[in-house]
Amino acid sequence: MGQEAVGKTTLINTLLKKEKPLETISTDGIDITTTNFSSINQSQQQENENYQFIIWDFAGQEVYYSTHQFFISKKGIYIVVWDVSKDQSISRVEYWLQSIRSVVQNECSILIVGTHVDQVSEDQLNQSKNQIQQLAQKYEIDSQNNVICVSCKTQLNIETLKSKLIQISKQTMKNIQIPSTYVLIQQATTKLMNETTHKQFPVVEARQLFEFTKDKFGFPNDQNKFERALIYYHQVGSLFYFEKNENLTIEQRMNQKVILNAQWLTQAMAQIVTNPEAKGRLIKNGILKQSDLSFCWKSSELFPQSIHEYLIDLMKQFDIMIPINQNQFNFNQSQQLQSKEQQEQLFLVPSMLIEKKNQLINEKLKKINLNENQFELNRWYSFSFLPIGFIPRLQAKLIDLFILQQIWKNGLIVTSKQNQNINLIIENFTIEQIENKFSFKIENIQNLNQKMKTNNITHITCLKLRTTNLIECVNVIIKINNLMNNLVQDWFHIEHKIEYLFPIFTLNNEQIFNIITKSQLQQLIIENKNKSLQIKNYNSENDKIEIDISEIAPDLTMNDLIFNSINSNQFKFDKKIGEGSFGIIFEETLNQSKVAIKKLKFNENESENEKEQLFEEFCNELRIMKNLNHKNIVNLIGYSIDCWPFILVMELISNSMDLYQFLNDPLNIIQIIQKLDKQRNIVANNHLKINIEIENQNNNNN
């Protein structure tokens, strides 16, 4: 991996002892080569072990970045390449290191290789290498042994690199025990690939490959073992077997496709990502009709019609193409589809989106911003790293939740499905673009930029929400926050911070935006400082003005739940009736009725971060309970954030007992088993099996 034109392909050709071509051509997508390297027995000076490597040469052009996620695996050895003669290539090394780590964390080996050593002086080489070694230490890479500088021209350190690859392979293979029968699958796929039918179209059903391997090569009659072998070979890049649904039975999973030649898949993606004919058939910025895919995959030998649905599913799975319906997109009159096309599936292809906002997008933005009757909320989601595929995946999720108005490479405009007056604008910027790109003035933006660079912030995803309904606006903000958390924590394994922007108006009606972090606002609410914020008055040198926090962060002050807010001063908290890991339960009286008060469990020595986490958990529980209405769940009556720790006010269940006491009574357990037993047929029909083992420490009877 590495930036374009740093010498990745030349390095591979040198490792393979191939002649360098007269003309250097950029890699188109991903080139895949299989080769053998031999290790030498030092005592006997003879070759004694062969290692087969599948080498994936990733294109450095940005248009291909979204396709790389198909091929990043925990069982790979990653070589990140930089050109020691070009300072700018150093800055991209960290991007590739972060991209790998965001997918596989620390579960793989990484080498960092510098090329073109013959073109720099020794001082230049040492300076460049020192920078990379510091970066390697940051990502817990052995900076002495795993940073190697080579010259493809003079062959300097080429054998060292090859030996390092073999050494890592040996270490890896020591920890992996592979059943000998797995080799039979390799033999079977090689034989199939040599057949005329599969040379151009290397796709079979898992069942077909299983039967072929079993009948021709003696693989055991065990479909589960066969599937485990497929997963292993998928992880090492020998073939592709994308698991769809783990809830399917093994018989059903045997109907899934196996791609025997990974290069075929890269060709299929290239037909969408960079095919000029595909771009020529766009009905709108970045949008293709499903029928147009036949023109992209027009080779019937390579991509027969029967495989198109499978390819579409893969493209959807990795957001190479995003399915949208016409009612999810606001077409202009001139772009309305013909009647026969109105029922056809549409796909958004992020790689085909325009780079910059055009006139239509700017006019739409201007129209939204001119509506003076709307509230405006602004959020910044700041990242130290924005991984491959983040923006397309964010766009895909937003298109699913909202109605798309306009879209471009780094942003989009959507409206709420429930309320057309709620407009949402999301745009991504690099930290260098912030000062120049924003049309409004930000207080101390130079200091802000310096602060963000100090904190290694590289990208900011900006959200602007305009609406006439503040409560509905809160619901949208919560959706976006949940979506962001899901993407950064569960999918990409990265961190982000949230800043809140709010305007102060000067006498000449100029907007000056101030920025405060989510953490700072949470602390203000916890400390209960009148739920307001003191800000510089730009119309007076010495005065300050107060801003109500609910106007800046209605999601944190829970304006959507304002009708459930209860004054905590009326409670004494003197009758404790229970305790859990999250809170302490008290019995209290509210409006002459008995209620249960759940008070957050809080230790005075807890850090600010722990307070903020408790704040988040409280908000999540409150909003979940608000929407629950079931006879077996206690009802939420209200809440209070006018004290710390916060409290939930809930229905009090009379004659209730402690859960531990309940489960310690064998009679209660017997009743539970009897009720479950009545549901056994339903459970069986859902292919579930429940094993219940009861052990009562105080009673020998089970």
Side-chain angles (χ1 to χ4, degrees):
M1 291 177 156
Q3 191 177 357
E4 184 180 7
V6 293
K8 298 185 297 297
T9 303
T10 302
L11 177 62
I12 290 170
N13 288 337
T14 305
L15 285 168
L16 300 178
K17 298 181 179 178
K18 285 185 179 180
E19 291 291 329
K20 182 180 177 181
L22 294 175
E23 182 183 358
T24 303
I25 302 172
S26 293
T27 302
D28 187 14
I30 297 175
D31 281 341
I32 302 168
T33 309
T34 300
T35 190
N36 291 317
F37 292 153
S38 298
S39 67
I40 297 177
N41 187 316
Q42 296 296 331
S43 59
Q44 300 177 10
Q45 290 296 306
Q46 61 183 17
E47 295 186 358
N48 64 352
E49 287 179 313
N50 279 319
Y51 288 84
Q52 185 183 78
F53 288 85
I54 304 165
I55 302 177
W56 303 67
D57 182 6
F58 284 69
Q61 303 97 312
E62 191 172 338
V63 69
Y64 290 108
Y65 287 4
S66 61
T67 67
H68 291 168
Q69 57 191 313
F70 274 94
F71 310 103
I72 295 179
S73 164
K74 292 179 181 178
K75 286 189 167 54
I77 302 173
Y78 293 88
I79 301 178
V80 177
V81 182
W82 97 97
D83 183 344
V84 299
S85 68
K86 297 176 182 176
D87 290 339
Q88 68 269 25
S89 74
I90 294 177
S91 64
R92 295 300 289 170
V93 169
E94 185 162 21
Y95 174 83
W96 293 104
L97 294 178
Q98 289 170 320
S99 296
I100 297 164
R101 289 290 194 231
S102 70
V103 177
V104 296
Q105 289 81 61
N106 292 324
E107 299 181 49
C108 66
S109 298
I110 300 176
L111 297 175
I112 309 178
V113 175
T115 59
H116 300 88
V117 168
D118 53 281
Q119 296 182 16
V120 296
S121 67
E122 187 175 348
D123 287 343
Q124 287 175 303
L125 173 60
N126 289 335
Q127 184 180 0
S128 181
K129 187 174 180 179
N130 286 339
Q131 285 181 267
I132 295 298
Q133 285 178 324
Q134 290 175 14
L135 199 57
Q137 290 172 355
K138 178 180 175 181
Y139 289 91
E140 299 178 1
I141 298 167
D142 185 343
S143 60
Q144 295 303 313
N145 298 310
N146 284 21
V147 177
I148 302 171
C149 295
V150 304
S151 168
C152 295
K153 184 176 181 180
T154 67
Q155 301 291 305
L156 177 70
N157 287 335
I158 293 297
E159 288 302 318
T160 302
L161 174 58
K162 194 180 293 187
S163 298
K164 188 64 182 177
L165 289 170
I166 293 172
Q167 179 192 339
I168 293 173
S169 299
K170 282 183 177 180
Q171 292 169 347
T172 304
M173 297 306 288
K174 279 182 183 178
N175 302 322
I176 299 175
Q177 291 188 338
I178 304 169
S180 57
T181 51
Y182 281 22
V183 179
L184 302 176
I185 295 178
Q186 267 194 316
Q187 294 171 356
T189 55
T190 302
K191 184 170 178 59
L192 280 174
M193 283 296 298
N194 290 329
E195 293 180 359
T196 307
T197 310
H198 298 295
K199 275 186 177 177
Q200 285 194 301
F201 177 57
V203 183
V204 295
E205 281 190 357
R207 186 186 314 282
Q208 180 185 349
L209 182 58
F210 172 65
E211 295 295 339
F212 182 80
T213 310
K214 179 165 64 78
D215 295 344
K216 302 291 184 182
F217 295 89
F219 193 91
N221 188 21
D222 184 340
Q223 291 182 340
N224 287 296
K225 184 175 184 178
F226 180 78
E227 185 182 44
R228 288 194 295 272
L230 289 183
I231 293 169
Y232 169 78
Y233 281 120
H234 172 93
Q235 291 172 339
V236 298
S238 294
L239 51 76
F240 280 131
Y241 173 69
F242 295 101
E243 301 168 87
K244 276 189 177 179
N245 190 339
E246 60 185 16
N247 294 324
L248 296 176
T249 65
I250 185 63
E251 277 294 324
Q252 292 169 320
R253 296 199 297 276
M254 283 292 102
N255 295 326
Q256 294 176 188
K257 299 284 192 297
V258 179
I259 300 173
L260 305 177
N261 183 353
Q263 192 74 64
W264 176 86
L265 181 58
T266 69
Q267 287 179 276
M269 288 188 297
Q271 300 306 308
I272 299 296
V273 173
T274 57
N275 186 353
E277 187 164 350
K279 288 188 177 182
R281 303 193 72 84
L282 294 176
I283 59 171
K284 190 178 173 67
N285 169 30
I287 294 180
L288 276 173
K289 303 193 301 294
Q290 183 159 338
S291 58
D292 289 329
L293 295 176
S294 299
F295 291 91
C296 302
W297 297 318
K298 61 184 178 183
S299 170
S300 58
E301 292 82 14
L302 272 176
F303 311 112
Q305 188 72 36
S306 59
I307 203 67
H308 287 190
E309 282 296 330
Y310 172 70
L311 284 173
I312 289 170
D313 282 344
L314 280 185
M315 303 295 173
K316 284 158 54 178
Q317 185 178 339
F318 290 93
D319 295 325
I320 306 298
M321 299 191 313
I322 302 166
I324 58 172
N325 299 318
Q326 189 179 1
N327 59 8
Q328 285 179 281
F329 199 99
N330 185 22
F331 284 93
N332 294 330
Q333 287 296 323
S334 60
Q335 294 160 325
Q336 289 291 336
L337 300 177
Q338 300 298 319
S339 57
K340 67 177 182 179
E341 299 171 327
Q342 288 181 358
Q343 302 303 317
E344 191 172 349
Q345 178 67 65
L346 305 178
F347 292 98
L348 179 70
V349 185
S351 63
M352 293 184 181
L353 290 170
I354 56 173
E355 292 284 345
K356 298 179 180 179
K357 299 189 288 286
N358 59 20
Q359 185 179 349
L360 275 175
I361 294 171
N362 286 322
E363 286 175 358
K364 182 67 177 177
L365 289 170
K366 186 177 180 181
K367 184 178 178 182
I368 291 171
N369 291 327
L370 286 176
N371 192 336
E372 296 179 356
N373 298 320
Q374 290 187 326
F375 298 101
E376 179 174 310
L377 295 178
N378 290 278
R379 300 285 184 274
W380 276 8
Y381 301 88
S382 54
F383 302 87
S384 58
F385 164 64
L386 206 62
I388 295 169
F390 179 85
I391 293 299
R393 193 165 287 272
L394 175 61
Q395 289 173 326
K397 301 299 181 188
L398 289 170
I399 289 170
D400 192 45
L401 291 172
F402 301 95
I403 297 174
L404 182 61
Q405 298 289 334
Q406 295 290 344
I407 189 166
W408 61 103
K409 188 81 78 178
N410 284 311
L412 78 172
I413 305 170
V414 294
T415 55
S416 168
K417 291 179 180 178
Q418 288 73 34
N419 185 344
Q420 296 291 305
N421 289 319
I422 297 180
N423 292 287
L424 184 67
I425 304 160
I426 290 187
E427 187 166 10
N428 186 64
F429 297 95
T430 64
I431 190 64
E432 292 79 14
Q433 294 171 324
I434 289 295
E435 186 171 357
N436 298 326
K437 289 282 185 180
F438 279 99
S439 58
F440 51 73
K441 182 178 177 182
I442 299 176
E443 173 70 3
N444 295 327
I445 190 162
Q446 289 80 13
N447 294 340
L448 172 71
N449 281 351
Q450 187 57 48
K451 177 184 172 185
M452 289 193 167
K453 286 175 183 175
T454 302
N455 292 326
N456 296 317
I457 301 301
T458 60
H459 289 80
I460 292 177
T461 299
C462 304
L463 178 151
K464 178 190 283 189
L465 197 151
R466 292 183 64 89
T467 178
T468 55
N469 188 317
L470 193 59
I471 291 178
E472 289 189 15
C473 172
V474 173
N475 294 332
V476 172
I477 287 285
I478 292 166
K479 274 185 185 178
I480 301 297
N481 284 341
N482 290 340
L483 173 57
M484 281 289 191
N485 287 335
N486 176 264
L487 284 177
V488 300
Q489 293 172 10
D490 300 336
W491 190 268
F492 290 103
H493 311 289
I494 56 175
E495 294 182 355
H496 74 303
K497 293 183 178 179
I498 303 177
E499 271 90 20
Y500 289 64
L501 280 75
F502 55 96
I504 303 297
F505 289 90
T506 63
L507 288 175
N508 59 3
N509 210 32
E510 180 188 15
Q511 277 187 324
I512 299 178
F513 277 78
N514 282 260
I515 298 177
I516 186 168
T517 67
K518 181 178 181 180
S519 299
Q520 289 171 320
L521 286 171
Q522 286 176 326
Q523 288 302 322
L524 282 171
I525 295 170
I526 288 171
E527 292 166 8
N528 194 29
K529 291 184 177 178
N530 301 317
K531 302 293 184 294
S532 63
L533 186 64
Q534 286 199 337
I535 297 297
K536 173 183 175 182
N537 186 346
Y538 295 95
N539 301 314
S540 171
E541 291 187 5
N542 301 317
D543 293 346
K544 289 185 178 274
I545 56 175
E546 284 198 353
I547 303 291
D548 191 326
I549 293 178
S550 65
E551 295 177 9
I552 303 168
D555 48 324
L556 297 183
T557 55
M558 286 168 273
N559 283 35
D560 54 322
L561 304 172
I562 197 69
F563 299 111
N564 299 92
S565 181
I566 294 171
N567 190 331
S568 66
N569 292 332
Q570 59 190 300
F571 303 130
K572 298 177 181 178
F573 304 105
D574 57 359
K575 189 176 180 181
K576 178 180 171 181
I577 58 174
E579 184 173 351
S581 59
F582 182 63
I584 303 170
I585 312 299
F586 298 90
E587 181 182 315
E588 295 283 354
T589 302
L590 177 68
N591 300 329
Q592 300 181 344
S593 298
K594 297 291 184 183
V595 294
I597 304 290
K598 183 175 185 178
K599 191 173 188 178
L600 297 189
K601 188 182 285 187
F602 173 67
N603 186 331
E604 291 294 336
N605 297 323
E606 284 182 337
S607 66
E608 302 297 329
N609 286 340
E610 288 170 323
K611 283 185 184 179
E612 291 163 20
Q613 187 177 352
L614 204 56
F615 191 118
E616 291 288 337
E617 289 171 354
F618 175 83
C619 293
N620 291 338
E621 182 173 4
L622 178 58
R623 289 197 165 95
I624 289 170
M625 289 194 68
K626 170 201 166 203
N627 295 315
L628 294 178
N629 182 18
H630 191 278
K631 63 180 181 179
N632 292 340
I633 300 175
V634 293
N635 291 319
L636 174 71
I637 296 171
Y639 71 96
S640 177
I641 59 171
D642 63 8
C643 61
W644 179 258
F646 299 154
I647 64 171
L648 292 173
V649 183
M650 299 176 291
E651 175 188 9
L652 179 68
I653 305 299
S654 58
N655 301 320
S656 62
M657 71 164 66
D658 184 272
L659 179 62
Y660 179 78
Q661 292 175 334
F662 178 84
L663 292 177
N664 250 356
D665 186 338
L667 292 177
N668 292 328
I669 298 299
I670 290 169
Q671 288 179 359
I672 292 174
I673 293 173
Q674 288 172 342
K675 289 182 179 180
L676 285 171
D677 194 48
K678 291 179 182 178
Q679 303 298 319
R680 185 167 51 182
N681 290 334
I682 297 173
V683 170
N685 288 337
N686 284 290
H687 308 289
L688 296 173
K689 185 178 180 182
I690 297 179
N691 296 315
I692 303 171
E693 183 180 299
I694 306 299
E695 182 178 344
N696 190 314
Q697 294 177 351
N698 301 318
N699 191 326
N700 290 328
N701 294 322
N702 289 334

